Amino acid sequence: MYQNYHFLRQLSQALRPLVVGLKFMECFSQEKDELVIVLAHARGKNNYYRPFFLRATLRPDFACLHFPEDFSRARHNSVDLFETLYDLEVVDVRQFQNERAFGLVLENNYTLVFKLFGNRSNAVLFQEEVVIDVFHNKLVSDNTLQLSKLDRELDQSWEAFEAAGHDHRKLFPTFGKEVNAYLVPLPQAGELVWEAIQDVLQKLENPTYYISTWQYQITFSLVPLGEVIRSHTNPIDALNDFYTTYNRIGVISKEKSEAVRVLQKRIQRTENYLEEAFQKLVTVDGDVKNEEIGHILMANLHQIPERAERVTLFDFYRDRDIDIKLKSDLSPQRNAETYYRKAKNERIEIDKLQENIALREGELEDLKNHLQEIEAFESLKLLRKYLKNNSLLTDAPILSPTQLFKHTEFEGYVILIGKNAKNNDLLTKKYAYKEDLWLHARDVSGSHVVIKYKAGRKIPNSVIERAAQIAAWYSKRRNETLCPVIVTPKKFVRKPKGLPEGEVVLDKEEVVMVEPRGL
């Protein structure tokens, strides 16, 4: 809410007694999206008498004001701005009605407007109604602004509220997302909603300024949201605190928030897939199976009339009659064969669905583990490294492990197999979590094999033995009678920098002897 009308109105009132009567001494920029204004009572020989500093950061991703007690201008790489205003006196601070903008009004009918419109924020200089200079020249539409039209008249009466169908957002666009979030859930009755709105308006008239962590970001608000860090009663002190806090820890909060948003979207997508897959599995694996219908037909071939389209027969599986649809151009035996073929396809589809479900459940577990890891980061450098190493920087759909690696399922556990040295690295570094089991034929080149861990369950020895047989098969020991295979949790597998593709270092290992056997 540091760009919100309700806050800027309070800020304008607080600035007025501090800056009216001061002179505009200089304005300069030494950062691409930042300008600094110095106001003071008088210009001294080497300095200013009791200066007041206004620093405006106007980046597309962060537009905020700051009022430092002191600010030293760099000797190089700085440029003077709005020189027309130098030595002119500030005569007022003007807040524009229902708008995220306020202005310093100076002598000779100049107004320097701070337009805090999110990623279109700018500083615009007017003389009378006409724009004569702008800070961000790329915002070309700002050159056509008219000063008097920056005020917005809004009908915020009860009658307008009723006409809007009790949707307060149509009447109070100035609330912004923080106040709207604070108002949720609103009561259902219109009168109660109106009372809640009036109560909030009272709070905005005499606010406390909160700096909090909300939705994983450092947030400035006039209503309590999230985890409150500090609160203030002075708008200038509050904004200075927020500016400093945001620049100190806000960047990591923002990047963490974006990473969490992407992961939550992926988790939702995976959960939706699993829900659909389970529903399909229930549909395919219905009460009456095609194989059973085939058996019923074969047991009653003599009772089925030629060219019949339907037949009612006794279902000895359920001890009742069953109505069976037939193809009239096929013999009873061929109809039974058709149901057997459908049953075979059903089994293939069920196996594939179960395999995909097991893989996606593993992906879901990995995503939730990533989410837990990200929420714990306090270092921006380590967060960025983790996101990069685990390919979590984009919102692109996750590429299924079945598309990247050989795979199989055994006793409900997914087993992934690397295809080559580079693919082995991908499997071990990015698709294996610390509790997964990692396997490799000992002392020879071969595939990395990973058994995906299931939360709260110990991987059975039978599954480990099967994965070891696969690791032995996809190695240089394939033709040996017995092969030693390394088994260790993934957390004991390291890939030091500079090691060739496919090679790793193990901190701990066990060895099992198995007979090589492929998929």
Side-chain angles (χ1 to χ4, degrees):
M1 289 187 72
Y2 54 93
Q3 298 175 349
N4 182 278
Y5 160 70
H6 295 281
F7 170 68
L8 293 179
R9 190 157 61 91
Q10 301 293 333
L11 181 64
S12 299
Q13 291 174 8
L15 284 175
R16 188 172 289 113
L18 298 176
V19 302
V20 169
L22 300 183
K23 291 187 177 181
F24 195 102
M25 294 301 177
E26 65 176 328
C27 178
F28 59 88
S29 177
Q30 53 198 40
E31 300 284 346
K32 178 184 175 184
D33 296 312
E34 182 179 281
L35 61 87
V36 177
I37 294 171
V38 185
L39 307 174
H41 288 281
R43 192 186 301 273
K45 188 174 181 180
N46 297 314
N47 226 322
Y48 300 111
Y49 177 60
R50 294 173 64 183
F52 182 89
F53 297 94
L54 188 159
R55 180 184 190 178
T57 300
L58 301 172
R59 300 200 312 262
D61 64 323
F62 181 66
C64 186
L65 302 179
H66 178 218
F67 305 96
E69 290 186 4
D70 193 13
F71 195 95
S72 298
R73 182 173 181 176
R75 293 184 179 181
H76 305 287
N77 300 322
S78 68
V79 59
D80 286 301
L81 301 169
F82 303 124
E83 293 177 79
T84 309
L85 303 179
Y86 283 22
D87 293 317
L88 296 182
E89 185 177 316
V90 179
V91 297
D92 195 12
V93 177
R94 178 178 176 181
Q95 174 61 51
F96 297 95
Q97 186 67 18
N98 295 313
E99 194 53 276
R100 293 172 295 167
F102 74 96
L104 297 179
V105 183
L106 297 103
E107 296 176 299
N108 301 338
N109 296 315
Y110 288 106
T111 305
L112 180 59
V113 174
F114 293 93
K115 180 176 74 78
L116 300 173
F117 287 14
N119 60 7
R120 295 181 294 112
S121 295
N122 206 354
V124 184
L125 178 59
F126 291 84
Q127 186 171 32
E128 300 285 359
E129 282 287 306
V130 181
V131 175
I132 62 171
D133 201 1
V134 296
F135 175 58
H136 278 314
N137 292 308
K138 61 187 177 183
L139 298 174
V140 292
S141 61
D142 285 353
N143 289 289
T144 62
L145 291 173
Q146 291 180 270
L147 193 66
S148 60
K149 292 187 177 179
L150 287 177
D151 288 303
R152 274 199 304 176
E153 291 296 327
L154 296 173
D155 184 356
Q156 296 176 336
S157 65
W158 164 257
E159 291 75 19
F161 180 63
E162 283 194 308
H166 297 167
D167 185 352
H168 73 279
R169 289 168 297 185
K170 293 179 181 178
L171 270 68
F172 299 93
T174 55
F175 278 176
K177 65 179 182 180
E178 290 87 0
V179 175
N180 286 332
Y182 178 75
L183 282 169
V184 173
L186 283 171
Q188 296 300 310
E191 293 84 355
L192 294 177
V193 174
W194 186 249
E195 286 180 19
I197 291 169
Q198 300 311 304
D199 181 59
V200 165
L201 287 171
Q202 280 293 108
K203 285 183 170 63
L204 298 179
E205 284 289 334
N206 301 285
T208 297
Y209 308 97
Y210 299 95
I211 298 167
S212 58
T213 303
W214 180 56
Q215 296 182 344
Y216 301 97
Q217 295 190 49
I218 298 300
T219 301
F220 182 95
S221 177
L222 276 63
V223 291
L225 282 176
E227 183 182 343
V228 175
I229 301 171
R230 285 178 296 279
S231 63
H232 296 268
T233 55
N234 181 285
I236 294 176
D237 292 343
L239 195 56
N240 284 343
D241 189 2
F242 169 73
Y243 184 91
T244 305
T245 304
Y246 181 90
N247 283 287
R248 187 176 73 251
I249 62 176
V251 176
I252 186 172
S253 296
K254 185 176 181 181
E255 293 198 19
K256 188 185 289 188
S257 171
E258 179 60 19
V260 167
R261 183 193 68 80
V262 169
L263 278 176
Q264 287 175 337
K265 192 171 181 180
R266 289 182 172 185
I267 287 170
Q268 185 62 53
R269 189 186 299 143
T270 306
E271 287 176 341
N272 290 344
Y273 172 86
L274 287 170
E275 179 64 27
E276 292 173 6
F278 278 124
Q279 289 297 327
K280 192 171 182 181
L281 191 61
V282 170
T283 303
V284 173
D285 193 17
D287 288 339
V288 181
K289 297 178 174 57
N290 285 308
E291 185 177 27
E292 294 172 349
I293 295 174
H295 291 335
I296 293 168
L297 288 174
M298 289 300 293
N300 295 278
L301 290 176
H302 60 286
Q303 295 185 35
I304 304 171
E306 291 292 328
R307 300 191 175 280
E309 294 185 353
R310 308 193 75 86
V311 65
T312 300
L313 299 172
F314 179 69
D315 181 353
F316 40 79
Y317 289 100
R318 293 160 195 83
D319 197 25
R320 58 179 171 80
D321 287 343
I322 184 173
D323 187 55
I324 301 173
K325 187 177 179 181
L326 302 173
K327 292 186 177 180
S328 60
D329 58 334
L330 298 180
S331 67
Q333 187 168 346
R334 291 291 301 277
N335 268 295
E337 290 172 2
T338 299
Y339 277 102
Y340 286 137
R341 186 169 61 253
K342 286 181 180 179
K344 182 179 178 181
N345 291 337
E346 274 181 358
R347 282 195 296 274
I348 293 170
E349 187 175 4
I350 288 170
D351 289 344
K352 190 66 179 175
L353 276 171
Q354 289 174 334
E355 182 180 299
N356 287 339
I357 286 169
L359 286 168
R360 288 300 182 97
E361 284 177 334
E363 289 175 12
L364 185 61
E365 186 71 23
D366 285 348
L367 286 171
K368 288 180 176 178
N369 285 326
H370 283 313
L371 188 62
Q372 202 170 28
E373 293 278 350
I374 285 169
E375 288 175 339
F377 276 110
E378 295 183 0
S379 162
L380 183 61
K381 183 178 179 181
L382 292 176
L383 172 65
R384 286 173 172 171
K385 183 179 179 181
Y386 184 86
L387 294 175
K388 183 178 179 181
N389 289 345
N390 291 282
S391 302
L392 301 172
L393 295 174
T394 68
D395 193 16
I398 293 176
L399 196 60
S400 170
T402 58
Q403 297 173 279
L404 294 171
F405 315 107
K406 297 185 185 78
H407 64 279
T408 188
E409 185 185 350
F410 186 75
E411 294 184 10
Y413 285 82
V414 174
I415 302 171
L416 302 176
I417 307 111
K419 298 177 181 178
N420 51 47
K422 187 174 181 179
N423 197 239
N424 281 341
D425 276 352
L426 181 66
L427 171 59
T428 299
K429 290 168 65 179
K430 295 188 178 181
Y431 283 83
Y433 191 64
K434 62 182 180 180
E435 298 301 330
D436 294 341
L437 275 186
W438 185 92
L439 302 92
H440 193 281
R442 191 174 192 184
D443 298 331
V444 292
S445 60
S447 292
H448 295 193
V449 175
V450 169
I451 306 172
K452 298 302 292 180
Y453 169 76
K454 289 189 175 185
R457 293 172 63 180
K458 182 181 178 182
I459 299 175
N461 289 334
S462 56
V463 176
I464 296 172
E465 183 179 349
R466 180 69 187 104
Q469 290 173 339
I470 293 169
W473 179 264
Y474 289 101
S475 77
K476 290 290 182 70
R477 294 185 185 271
R478 174 185 291 197
N479 297 318
E480 296 182 13
T481 305
L482 284 176
C483 169
V485 175
I486 296 166
V487 181
T488 188
K490 162 60 177 58
K491 61 186 176 184
F492 297 123
V493 182
R494 292 187 292 113
K495 176 78 176 180
K497 196 171 182 179
L499 215 59
E501 285 184 344
E503 291 190 20
V504 295
V505 173
L506 305 179
D507 295 328
K508 183 179 178 182
E509 65 179 76
E510 293 182 5
V511 175
V512 296
M513 300 295 294
V514 293
E515 179 184 352
R517 186 158 68 88
L519 297 176

